[in-house]
Amino acid sequence: MNSIKLTGSCLCGSVKYSVTTEIKKFYFCHCEQCRKITGSSFASNILAKPSTVTWVSGLEKIKRFDYPGEKSYTKVFCSECGSGLPFLNESGNTLFIPAGSLDGDYDLKPDHNIYWADKASWYEAGISAEKCPEFPA
């Protein structure tokens, strides 16, 4: 696999980053922790080779939360807006990049829906719900 340069930021624009890495997998994770931390039906995580993230701006705004449960789980985020940001997992063998934090449109396709058995009961109904170009009136 080839290296790719990715750039991203948080919603408020305080934190910006770039990283050059090799992507291993791209997962939609439906586990309870991912649903809770995103407030949505799943997390969109790119798993990549460990690489140094260059924090272009906002380093002082970055916070890290390590979930104290049995499962190893981490969330790195902007302390201003709460947007997810890249991080190395605890073992240091994988760089997690929240796909929603990327700037621009990269030609990336998810590989798997993981923890499918844990998916929200309303997820599949949402896929077939009416598609609207903006907030409905």
Side-chain angles (χ1 to χ4, degrees), residues 48-69:
K49 288 183 98 174
S51 304
T52 300
V53 176
T54 301
W55 299 104
V56 177
S57 65
L59 182 62
E60 72 284 355
K61 305 260 185 188
I62 299 170
K63 300 291 182 207
R64 182 180 179 112
F65 170 75
D66 291 303
Y67 182 71

Side-chain angles (χ1 to χ4, degrees), residues 1-122:
M1 182 165 255
N2 297 328
S3 289
I4 183 172
K5 181 176 182 179
L6 302 170
T7 60
S9 59
C10 64
L11 178 62
C12 71
S14 294
V15 180
K16 296 181 182 193
Y17 69 88
S18 69
V19 63
T20 301
T21 189
E22 290 181 29
I23 294 173
K24 295 194 247 182
K25 293 288 181 183
F26 181 5
Y27 293 140
F28 285 172
C29 183
H30 297 267
C31 78
E32 181 180 9
Q33 289 87 349
C34 284
R35 287 188 286 115
K36 292 281 186 186
I37 205 74
T38 63
S40 189
S41 57
F42 59 87
S44 303
N45 290 314
I46 297 167
L47 282 61
K49 288 183 98 174
S51 304
T52 300
V53 176
T54 301
W55 299 104
V56 177
S57 65
L59 182 62
E60 72 284 355
K61 305 260 185 188
I62 299 170
K63 300 291 182 207
R64 182 180 179 112
F65 170 75
D66 291 303
Y67 182 71
E70 289 179 21
K71 290 182 183 176
S72 176
Y73 182 82
T74 299
K75 169 91 176 191
V76 171
F77 57 97
C78 170
S79 62
E80 284 293 312
C81 66
S83 297
L85 298 165
F87 64 91
L88 277 176
N89 65 348
E90 288 180 348
S91 64
N93 64 3
T94 303
L95 176 66
F96 280 72
I97 304 168
S101 72
L102 294 175
D103 292 334
D105 190 20
Y106 296 91
D107 187 26
L108 303 172
K109 307 261 185 291
D111 296 298
H112 299 284
N113 282 279
I114 61 173
Y115 292 96
W116 186 251
D118 294 345
K119 73 182 176 305
S121 61
W122 42 266

Side-chain angles (χ1 to χ4, degrees), residues 41-42 116 119-132:
S41 57
F42 59 87
W116 186 251
K119 73 182 176 305
S121 61
W122 42 266
Y123 171 73
E124 292 186 63
I127 297 297
S128 61
E130 182 181 353
K131 312 300 187 273
C132 304

